[in-house]
Protein backbone atom coordinates (compact mmCIF):
# COMPACT_ATOMS: atom_id res chain seq x y z
CA UNK A 1 0.00 0.00 0.00
CA UNK A 2 1.31 3.47 -0.89
CA UNK A 3 1.92 5.77 2.05
CA UNK A 4 -0.68 8.30 0.89
CA UNK A 5 -3.35 5.56 0.78
CA UNK A 6 -2.47 4.74 4.37
CA UNK A 7 -2.47 8.33 5.64
CA UNK A 8 -4.94 10.33 3.56
CA UNK A 9 -8.04 9.74 5.67
CA UNK A 10 -6.17 10.87 8.79
CA UNK A 11 -6.08 14.48 7.53
CA UNK A 12 -9.54 16.06 7.82
CA UNK A 13 -8.54 19.17 5.85
CA UNK A 14 -7.92 17.07 2.74
CA UNK A 15 -11.72 16.73 2.40
CA UNK A 16 -11.85 20.43 1.47
CA UNK A 17 -13.12 21.48 -1.92
CA UNK A 18 -11.19 24.54 -3.12
CA UNK A 19 -12.47 26.58 -6.04
CA UNK A 20 -14.69 23.70 -7.05
CA UNK A 21 -11.87 21.12 -6.97
CA UNK A 22 -10.64 18.64 -4.38
CA UNK A 23 -7.73 20.23 -2.52
CA UNK A 24 -4.27 19.20 -3.73
CA UNK A 25 -1.99 20.54 -1.03
CA UNK A 26 1.58 20.90 -2.27
CA UNK A 27 2.74 23.53 0.24
CA UNK A 28 3.89 21.48 3.23
CA UNK A 29 7.29 23.21 3.05
CA UNK A 30 5.54 26.39 4.20
CA UNK A 31 3.41 24.50 6.73
CA UNK A 32 2.14 20.94 6.67
CA UNK A 33 -1.41 19.79 7.41
CA UNK A 34 -2.20 17.97 10.67
CA UNK A 35 -3.47 14.42 11.22
CA UNK A 36 -6.53 13.95 13.43
CA UNK A 37 -4.38 12.43 16.21
CA UNK A 38 -2.53 15.75 16.65
CA UNK A 39 -5.77 17.76 16.77
CA UNK A 40 -7.35 15.31 19.21
CA UNK A 41 -4.31 15.22 21.51
CA UNK A 42 -4.32 19.01 21.81
CA UNK A 43 -8.06 19.13 22.40
CA UNK A 44 -7.86 16.37 24.99
CA UNK A 45 -5.09 18.23 26.78
CA UNK A 46 -7.13 21.46 26.97
CA UNK A 47 -10.31 19.62 27.97
CA UNK A 48 -8.72 17.46 30.69
CA UNK A 49 -5.24 18.47 31.84
CA UNK A 50 -4.43 22.11 31.15
CA UNK A 51 -2.44 24.01 33.78
CA UNK A 52 0.95 25.72 33.84
CA UNK A 53 4.07 23.51 33.98
CA UNK A 54 6.86 23.24 36.57
CA UNK A 55 5.00 25.51 38.99
CA UNK A 56 1.94 23.94 40.57
CA UNK A 57 1.80 20.95 42.91
CA UNK A 58 -1.87 20.22 42.12
CA UNK A 59 -2.99 17.29 39.96
CA UNK A 60 -3.52 19.23 36.74
CA UNK A 61 -0.17 21.01 37.16
CA UNK A 62 1.53 17.65 37.49
CA UNK A 63 -0.31 16.16 34.51
CA UNK A 64 0.57 19.14 32.32
CA UNK A 65 4.22 18.98 33.42
CA UNK A 66 4.33 15.26 32.69
CA UNK A 67 2.86 15.75 29.20
CA UNK A 68 5.26 18.59 28.46
CA UNK A 69 8.29 16.57 29.53
CA UNK A 70 7.07 13.49 27.63
CA UNK A 71 7.25 15.69 24.53
CA UNK A 72 10.92 16.31 25.27
CA UNK A 73 11.54 12.55 25.41
CA UNK A 74 9.72 12.14 22.08
CA UNK A 75 11.88 14.82 20.47
CA UNK A 76 15.07 13.33 21.93
CA UNK A 77 14.16 10.00 20.35
CA UNK A 78 13.07 11.55 17.04
CA UNK A 79 16.25 13.58 16.50
CA UNK A 80 18.64 11.05 18.03
CA UNK A 81 19.89 13.42 20.73
CA UNK A 82 22.21 11.82 23.28
CA UNK A 83 20.28 13.29 26.23
CA UNK A 84 16.96 15.02 27.01
CA UNK A 85 18.84 17.92 28.63
CA UNK A 86 19.96 18.91 25.14
CA UNK A 87 16.40 19.40 23.87
CA UNK A 88 15.14 22.96 24.39
CA UNK A 89 11.64 24.02 23.32
CA UNK A 90 11.33 27.26 21.37
CA UNK A 91 8.52 28.91 19.41
CA UNK A 92 9.90 27.67 16.08
CA UNK A 93 12.96 27.65 13.85
CA UNK A 94 13.21 31.43 13.58
CA UNK A 95 12.90 31.77 17.35
CA UNK A 96 15.55 29.06 17.90
CA UNK A 97 18.01 30.64 15.48
CA UNK A 98 17.43 34.04 17.10
CA UNK A 99 18.06 32.54 20.54
CA UNK A 100 21.30 30.89 19.36
CA UNK A 101 22.54 34.02 17.60
CA UNK A 102 21.83 36.18 20.67
CA UNK A 103 23.42 33.63 23.00
CA UNK A 104 26.60 33.12 20.97
CA UNK A 105 26.57 36.76 19.87
CA UNK A 106 27.32 38.00 23.37
CA UNK A 107 30.66 36.22 23.25
CA UNK A 108 31.73 37.59 19.85
CA UNK A 109 34.06 40.53 19.36
CA UNK A 110 35.48 42.76 16.66
CA UNK A 111 36.99 40.78 13.79
CA UNK A 112 35.34 37.49 14.71
CA UNK A 113 33.84 35.81 11.67
CA UNK A 114 30.47 34.17 11.06
CA UNK A 115 30.09 31.96 7.98
CA UNK A 116 26.65 31.33 6.44
CA UNK A 117 25.75 30.11 2.93
CA UNK A 118 23.93 31.47 -0.12
CA UNK A 119 21.22 28.85 0.46
CA UNK A 120 20.01 30.37 3.71
CA UNK A 121 16.46 31.28 4.61
CA UNK A 122 16.35 34.82 6.05
CA UNK A 123 15.79 33.24 9.48
CA UNK A 124 19.36 31.91 9.39
CA UNK A 125 20.78 35.12 7.98
CA UNK A 126 19.16 38.17 9.58
CA UNK A 127 19.92 37.12 13.21
CA UNK A 128 23.60 36.82 12.23
CA UNK A 129 23.50 40.18 10.44
CA UNK A 130 22.13 41.76 13.63
CA UNK A 131 24.80 40.10 15.77
CA UNK A 132 27.60 41.00 13.34
CA UNK A 133 26.51 44.65 13.33
CA UNK A 134 26.23 44.74 17.10
CA UNK A 135 29.57 43.04 17.85
CA UNK A 136 31.71 44.26 14.96
CA UNK A 137 31.92 40.72 13.59
CA UNK A 138 32.28 39.89 9.90
CA UNK A 139 29.65 37.89 8.00
CA UNK A 140 30.73 35.73 5.04
CA UNK A 141 28.76 33.40 2.77
CA UNK A 142 29.71 30.11 1.13
CA UNK A 143 28.64 30.38 -2.54
CA UNK A 144 26.67 27.70 -4.36
CA UNK A 145 27.65 25.92 -7.56
CA UNK A 146 25.46 25.95 -10.68
CA UNK A 147 23.68 22.75 -9.58
CA UNK A 148 22.55 24.31 -6.29
CA UNK A 149 25.04 22.44 -4.09
CA UNK A 150 27.49 24.22 -1.79
CA UNK A 151 30.96 25.09 -3.04
CA UNK A 152 32.89 23.23 -0.35
CA UNK A 153 36.26 24.31 -1.77
CA UNK A 154 35.15 27.91 -1.17
CA UNK A 155 34.16 26.97 2.39
CA UNK A 156 37.74 25.76 2.95
CA UNK A 157 39.02 29.19 1.87
CA UNK A 158 36.53 31.07 4.09
CA UNK A 159 37.34 29.12 7.25
CA UNK A 160 40.11 30.55 9.43
CA UNK A 161 41.08 30.76 13.10
CA UNK A 162 38.83 33.88 13.19
CA UNK A 163 35.74 31.80 12.30
CA UNK A 164 33.56 31.48 15.39
CA UNK A 165 30.32 30.19 13.87
CA UNK A 166 29.30 28.27 10.76
CA UNK A 167 25.51 28.46 10.32
CA UNK A 168 23.90 26.58 7.46
CA UNK A 169 20.75 24.83 6.35
CA UNK A 170 20.40 21.04 6.24
CA UNK A 171 17.89 21.18 3.36
CA UNK A 172 17.27 24.26 1.19
CA UNK A 173 13.64 25.42 1.25
CA UNK A 174 14.00 26.64 -2.36
CA UNK A 175 16.15 24.21 -4.33
CA UNK A 176 16.00 21.22 -1.99
CA UNK A 177 19.78 20.78 -1.72
CA UNK A 178 20.79 18.45 1.11
CA UNK A 179 24.03 19.78 2.58
CA UNK A 180 26.76 17.43 3.88
CA UNK A 181 26.28 18.35 7.54
CA UNK A 182 28.83 15.98 9.10
CA UNK A 183 31.54 17.05 6.64
CA UNK A 184 30.92 20.77 7.22
CA UNK A 185 30.87 20.19 10.99
CA UNK A 186 34.27 18.46 10.75
CA UNK A 187 35.76 21.34 8.77
CA UNK A 188 34.30 23.96 11.13
CA UNK A 189 35.46 22.14 14.24
CA UNK A 190 38.98 21.91 12.83
CA UNK A 191 39.22 25.73 13.11
CA UNK A 192 37.40 25.80 16.47
CA UNK A 193 34.09 27.17 15.13
CA UNK A 194 30.63 26.31 16.45
CA UNK A 195 28.10 24.83 14.03
CA UNK A 196 24.43 25.80 13.81
CA UNK A 197 22.17 23.78 11.51
CA UNK A 198 18.76 24.94 10.29
CA UNK A 199 16.73 21.73 10.11
CA UNK A 200 13.34 23.27 9.28
CA UNK A 201 13.04 21.46 5.94
CA UNK A 202 14.98 18.34 6.94
CA UNK A 203 13.13 17.25 10.08
CA UNK A 204 9.84 16.45 8.26
CA UNK A 205 11.62 14.42 5.62
CA UNK A 206 14.82 12.74 6.84
CA UNK A 207 15.72 10.41 9.69
CA UNK A 208 17.76 12.57 12.05
CA UNK A 209 20.65 11.53 14.28
CA UNK A 210 22.34 14.33 16.18
CA UNK A 211 25.23 12.10 17.23
CA UNK A 212 26.00 11.20 13.62
CA UNK A 213 25.65 14.81 12.39
CA UNK A 214 27.86 16.03 15.22
CA UNK A 215 26.66 19.65 15.07
CA UNK A 216 26.60 21.95 18.10
CA UNK A 217 23.07 23.30 17.47
CA UNK A 218 20.14 22.06 15.37
CA UNK A 219 16.76 23.78 15.08
CA UNK A 220 13.37 22.80 13.69
CA UNK A 221 9.68 23.81 13.62
CA UNK A 222 6.86 21.42 14.57
CA UNK A 223 4.38 22.93 12.12
CA UNK A 224 6.32 21.68 9.11
CA UNK A 225 6.32 18.08 10.41
CA UNK A 226 2.59 17.51 10.97
CA UNK A 227 2.64 19.25 14.37
CA UNK A 228 1.12 22.53 15.54
CA UNK A 229 2.35 26.08 14.95
CA UNK A 230 4.00 27.93 17.83
CA UNK A 231 6.54 25.33 18.93
CA UNK A 232 10.00 24.37 17.76
CA UNK A 233 13.12 22.72 19.06
CA UNK A 234 16.65 23.91 19.67
CA UNK A 235 19.00 20.98 20.15
CA UNK A 236 22.27 22.06 21.74
CA UNK A 237 25.25 19.83 22.51
CA UNK A 238 25.49 19.63 26.27
CA UNK A 239 29.15 20.63 26.45
CA UNK A 240 28.31 23.74 24.41
CA UNK A 241 25.10 24.70 26.26
CA UNK A 242 27.03 24.47 29.54
CA UNK A 243 29.49 27.07 28.26
CA UNK A 244 26.88 29.76 27.58
CA UNK A 245 24.90 32.11 29.75
CA UNK A 246 21.19 31.98 28.82
CA UNK A 247 20.46 34.47 26.05
CA UNK A 248 17.02 35.33 27.44
CA UNK A 249 15.74 35.41 31.03
CA UNK A 250 12.73 35.49 33.31
CA UNK A 251 10.26 33.16 34.99
CA UNK A 252 11.32 29.58 35.82
CA UNK A 253 14.73 29.48 34.14
CA UNK A 254 16.41 30.18 37.51
CA UNK A 255 17.24 28.38 40.76
CA UNK A 256 17.69 31.43 42.99
CA UNK A 257 17.31 35.15 42.33
CA UNK A 258 18.68 38.20 44.12
CA UNK A 259 18.14 41.81 43.06
CA UNK A 260 21.47 42.07 41.28
CA UNK A 261 22.15 38.50 40.14
CA UNK A 262 20.69 35.01 39.75
CA UNK A 263 21.67 31.37 39.68
CA UNK A 264 20.49 29.53 36.58
CA UNK A 265 18.27 26.47 36.48
CA UNK A 266 19.61 23.16 35.15
CA UNK A 267 19.52 22.26 31.47
CA UNK A 268 17.31 22.35 29.49
CA UNK A 269 14.98 24.66 31.47
CA UNK A 270 17.72 27.31 31.72
CA UNK A 271 16.97 28.18 28.10
CA UNK A 272 13.15 28.14 28.42
CA UNK A 273 11.99 31.40 30.04
CA UNK A 274 8.25 32.04 30.39
CA UNK A 275 5.24 29.77 30.08
CA UNK A 276 6.11 27.40 27.25
CA UNK A 277 3.82 26.23 24.42
CA UNK A 278 2.33 23.31 26.39
CA UNK A 279 -0.60 22.22 24.23
CA UNK A 280 1.71 22.56 21.25
CA UNK A 281 4.23 20.22 22.92
CA UNK A 282 1.41 17.69 23.35
CA UNK A 283 0.55 18.08 19.66
CA UNK A 284 4.21 17.65 18.75
CA UNK A 285 4.36 14.35 20.65
CA UNK A 286 1.37 13.12 18.65
CA UNK A 287 2.99 14.25 15.38
CA UNK A 288 6.23 12.44 16.24
CA UNK A 289 4.33 9.28 17.20
CA UNK A 290 2.47 9.48 13.90
CA UNK A 291 5.70 9.81 11.89
CA UNK A 292 7.41 7.09 13.94
CA UNK A 293 4.53 4.73 13.25
CA UNK A 294 4.94 5.32 9.51
CA UNK A 295 8.73 5.06 9.84
CA UNK A 296 10.97 7.93 8.73
CA UNK A 297 12.74 5.79 6.14
CA UNK A 298 9.41 5.04 4.50
CA UNK A 299 8.40 8.72 4.72
CA UNK A 300 11.67 9.77 3.07
CA UNK A 301 11.29 7.16 0.32
CA UNK A 302 7.70 8.22 -0.44
CA UNK A 303 8.54 11.91 -0.61
CA UNK A 304 11.70 11.19 -2.62
CA UNK A 305 9.62 9.35 -5.25
CA UNK A 306 7.11 12.24 -5.50
CA UNK A 307 9.95 14.75 -5.77
CA UNK A 308 11.63 12.73 -8.53
CA UNK A 309 8.33 12.37 -10.43
CA UNK A 310 7.76 16.13 -10.23
CA UNK A 311 11.31 17.06 -11.17
CA UNK A 312 11.43 14.74 -14.17
CA UNK A 313 7.88 15.54 -15.29
CA UNK A 314 8.33 19.31 -15.14
CA UNK A 315 11.69 19.10 -16.95
CA UNK A 316 9.91 17.38 -19.87
CA UNK A 317 7.48 20.30 -20.35
CA UNK A 318 8.82 22.79 -22.93
CA UNK A 319 9.33 26.26 -21.43
CA UNK A 320 9.58 25.01 -17.85
CA UNK A 321 12.82 25.39 -15.88
CA UNK A 322 13.50 23.31 -12.76
CA UNK A 323 16.02 24.64 -10.22
CA UNK A 324 18.40 22.81 -7.93
CA UNK A 325 20.35 19.55 -7.99
CA UNK A 326 19.68 17.42 -11.09
CA UNK A 327 17.53 14.29 -11.02
CA UNK A 328 19.54 11.47 -9.50
CA UNK A 329 21.03 13.68 -6.78
CA UNK A 330 19.15 13.25 -3.52
CA UNK A 331 17.24 16.34 -2.40
CA UNK A 332 14.56 17.35 0.09
CA UNK A 333 10.86 17.21 -0.77
CA UNK A 334 11.06 20.54 -2.62
CA UNK A 335 10.85 21.38 -6.34
CA UNK A 336 11.14 25.02 -7.46
CA UNK A 337 10.34 25.83 -11.07
CA UNK A 338 9.63 28.62 -13.54
CA UNK A 339 7.17 28.72 -16.43
CA UNK A 340 8.39 30.92 -19.31
CA UNK A 341 6.05 33.86 -19.87
CA UNK A 342 4.35 33.63 -16.48
CA UNK A 343 5.23 35.35 -13.20
CA UNK A 344 5.56 32.82 -10.34
CA UNK A 345 2.59 34.44 -8.59
CA UNK A 346 0.46 33.96 -11.72
CA UNK A 347 1.46 30.30 -11.84
CA UNK A 348 0.38 29.86 -8.20
CA UNK A 349 -2.91 31.73 -8.79
CA UNK A 350 -3.73 29.69 -11.92
CA UNK A 351 -2.96 26.43 -10.10
CA UNK A 352 -5.05 27.56 -7.13
CA UNK A 353 -8.00 28.02 -9.48
CA UNK A 354 -7.70 24.25 -10.05
CA UNK A 355 -7.48 23.50 -6.31
CA UNK A 356 -3.69 23.01 -6.36
CA UNK A 357 -1.85 24.85 -3.58
CA UNK A 358 1.81 25.69 -4.30
CA UNK A 359 3.88 28.55 -2.97
CA UNK A 360 5.36 31.29 -5.15
CA UNK A 361 7.73 34.16 -4.45
CA UNK A 362 11.18 34.62 -2.95
CA UNK A 363 10.57 32.00 -0.23
CA UNK A 364 12.37 34.22 2.33
CA UNK A 365 15.65 33.54 0.54
CA UNK A 366 16.37 36.73 -1.41
CA UNK A 367 20.16 36.28 -1.70
CA UNK A 368 19.51 32.85 -3.26
CA UNK A 369 16.97 34.37 -5.69
CA UNK A 370 19.61 36.91 -6.70
CA UNK A 371 22.12 34.10 -7.20
CA UNK A 372 19.62 32.18 -9.39
CA UNK A 373 18.91 35.41 -11.31
CA UNK A 374 15.16 35.34 -10.65
CA UNK A 375 12.67 37.42 -8.64
CA UNK A 376 10.97 34.29 -7.40
CA UNK A 377 10.00 30.74 -8.22
CA UNK A 378 6.91 28.56 -8.02
CA UNK A 379 7.45 25.72 -5.59
CA UNK A 380 5.82 22.38 -4.88
CA UNK A 381 6.62 20.63 -1.59
CA UNK A 382 5.44 17.22 -0.43
CA UNK A 383 4.31 15.36 2.63
CA UNK A 384 3.17 11.87 3.62
CA UNK A 385 -0.39 12.39 2.30
CA UNK A 386 0.53 13.42 -1.25
CA UNK A 387 0.04 10.92 -4.07
CA UNK A 388 1.59 10.25 -7.49
CA UNK A 389 -1.85 11.12 -8.96
CA UNK A 390 -1.64 14.57 -7.40
CA UNK A 391 1.78 15.05 -8.97
CA UNK A 392 0.37 13.93 -12.36
CA UNK A 393 -2.39 16.52 -11.98
CA UNK A 394 0.19 19.21 -11.21
CA UNK A 395 2.19 18.23 -14.29
CA UNK A 396 -0.77 18.23 -16.70
CA UNK A 397 -2.04 21.52 -15.26
CA UNK A 398 1.37 23.20 -15.64
CA UNK A 399 1.64 21.83 -19.19
CA UNK A 400 -1.82 23.29 -19.84
CA UNK A 401 -0.73 26.71 -18.57
CA UNK A 402 2.18 26.68 -21.03
CA UNK A 403 0.14 25.65 -24.03
CA UNK A 404 -2.54 28.28 -23.23
CA UNK A 405 0.02 31.10 -23.56
N1 LIG B 1 10.15 28.32 5.43
C1 LIG B 1 8.82 28.19 3.43
O1 LIG B 1 7.76 28.29 2.81
P1 LIG B 1 9.54 29.22 10.96
O2 LIG B 1 8.72 30.20 10.18
O3 LIG B 1 10.28 29.88 12.08
O4 LIG B 1 8.78 28.01 11.38
O5 LIG B 1 10.63 28.64 9.94
C2 LIG B 1 11.52 29.51 9.27
C3 LIG B 1 12.36 28.75 8.30
C4 LIG B 1 13.72 28.61 8.56
N2 LIG B 1 14.51 27.88 7.75
C5 LIG B 1 14.04 27.26 6.67
C6 LIG B 1 14.97 26.44 5.83
C7 LIG B 1 12.69 27.37 6.35
O6 LIG B 1 12.22 26.74 5.28
C8 LIG B 1 11.84 28.15 7.16
C9 LIG B 1 10.40 28.35 6.80
C10 LIG B 1 8.80 28.42 4.93
O7 LIG B 1 9.88 27.88 2.89
C11 LIG B 1 8.11 29.69 5.29
S1 LIG B 1 9.02 31.12 4.81
Amino acid sequence: MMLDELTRDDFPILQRIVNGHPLVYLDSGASSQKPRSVLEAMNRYYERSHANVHRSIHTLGEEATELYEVARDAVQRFIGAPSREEVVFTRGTTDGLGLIAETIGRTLGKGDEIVVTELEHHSNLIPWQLVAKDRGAVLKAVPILADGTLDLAALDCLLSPHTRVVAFTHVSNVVGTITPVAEIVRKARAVGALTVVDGAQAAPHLRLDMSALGCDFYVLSAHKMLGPTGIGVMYGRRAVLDRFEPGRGGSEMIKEVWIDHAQWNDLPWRFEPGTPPIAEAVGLTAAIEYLEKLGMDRVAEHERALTRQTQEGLARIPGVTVYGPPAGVDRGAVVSFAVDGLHPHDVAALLDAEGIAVRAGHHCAMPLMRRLGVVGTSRATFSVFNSPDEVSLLLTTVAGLRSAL
Side-chain angles (χ1 to χ4, degrees), residues 233-315:
V233 171
M234 176 191 86
Y235 158 82
R237 230 162 39 86
R238 190 183 186 120
V240 174
L241 288 182
D242 273 335
R243 261 170 43 201
F244 287 101
E245 294 278 297
R248 299 169 186 169
S251 201
E252 295 281 317
M253 45 73 75
I254 45 72
K255 273 202 173 128
E256 190 82 43
V257 179
W258 294 264
I259 285 294
D260 61 348
H261 69 286
Q263 201 184 17
W264 309 135
N265 203 343
D266 295 328
L267 290 174
W269 306 291
R270 189 188 306 168
F271 287 95
E272 293 181 357
T275 299
I278 311 164
E280 290 76 4
V282 172
L284 175 56
T285 304
I288 288 173
E289 285 171 353
Y290 187 89
L291 286 169
E292 284 176 336
K293 211 160 124 206
L294 298 177
M296 282 311 287
D297 291 335
R298 193 170 175 201
V299 168
E301 191 41 55
H302 178 74
E303 293 171 1
R304 199 175 283 133
L306 297 175
T307 303
R308 205 178 307 127
Q309 185 190 350
T310 307
Q311 212 179 339
E312 291 172 0
L314 285 173

Side-chain angles (χ1 to χ4, degrees), residues 84-324:
R84 69 190 314 281
E85 288 77 18
E86 296 172 304
V87 175
V88 173
F89 285 117
T90 64
R91 267 58 179 177
T93 300
T94 306
D95 186 49
L97 290 167
L99 172 62
I100 296 166
E102 288 163 31
T103 304
I104 299 178
R106 291 184 181 179
T107 68
L108 298 185
K110 206 167 164 51
D112 281 341
E113 295 180 1
I114 302 162
V115 173
V116 293
T117 85
E118 280 185 343
L119 289 175
E120 298 319 306
H121 187 280
H122 299 162
S123 294
N124 199 22
L125 179 59
I126 306 291
W128 301 112
Q129 288 182 0
L130 294 172
V131 161
K133 196 168 166 203
D134 191 43
R135 310 299 299 181
V138 180
L139 189 59
K140 297 180 169 180
V142 182
I144 57 166
L145 300 169
D147 65 358
T149 58
L150 288 179
D151 183 346
L152 293 180
L155 169 65
D156 289 336
C157 298
L158 289 178
L159 291 175
S160 82
H162 299 293
T163 313
R164 298 287 310 281
V165 182
V166 180
F168 60 102
T169 194
H170 192 173
V171 172
S172 160
N173 68 319
V174 177
V175 287
T177 310
I178 301 177
T179 61
V181 175
E183 186 180 348
I184 297 173
V185 167
R186 260 195 315 278
K187 287 173 187 280
R189 197 155 289 151
V191 296
L194 291 168
T195 44
V196 179
V197 181
D198 174 351
Q201 297 291 342
H205 176 69
L206 299 174
R207 178 182 290 286
L208 295 178
D209 181 350
M210 291 303 117
S211 304
L213 294 179
C215 53
D216 295 306
F217 293 97
Y218 194 98
V219 289
L220 58 88
S221 295
H223 72 93
K224 293 187 198 289
M225 43 178 280
L226 314 184
T229 55
I231 186 166
V233 171
M234 176 191 86
Y235 158 82
R237 230 162 39 86
R238 190 183 186 120
V240 174
L241 288 182
D242 273 335
R243 261 170 43 201
F244 287 101
E245 294 278 297
R248 299 169 186 169
S251 201
E252 295 281 317
M253 45 73 75
I254 45 72
K255 273 202 173 128
E256 190 82 43
V257 179
W258 294 264
I259 285 294
D260 61 348
H261 69 286
Q263 201 184 17
W264 309 135
N265 203 343
D266 295 328
L267 290 174
W269 306 291
R270 189 188 306 168
F271 287 95
E272 293 181 357
T275 299
I278 311 164
E280 290 76 4
V282 172
L284 175 56
T285 304
I288 288 173
E289 285 171 353
Y290 187 89
L291 286 169
E292 284 176 336
K293 211 160 124 206
L294 298 177
M296 282 311 287
D297 291 335
R298 193 170 175 201
V299 168
E301 191 41 55
H302 178 74
E303 293 171 1
R304 199 175 283 133
L306 297 175
T307 303
R308 205 178 307 127
Q309 185 190 350
T310 307
Q311 212 179 339
E312 291 172 0
L314 285 173
R316 275 197 295 271
I317 303 171
V320 172
T321 307
V322 179
Y323 300 100

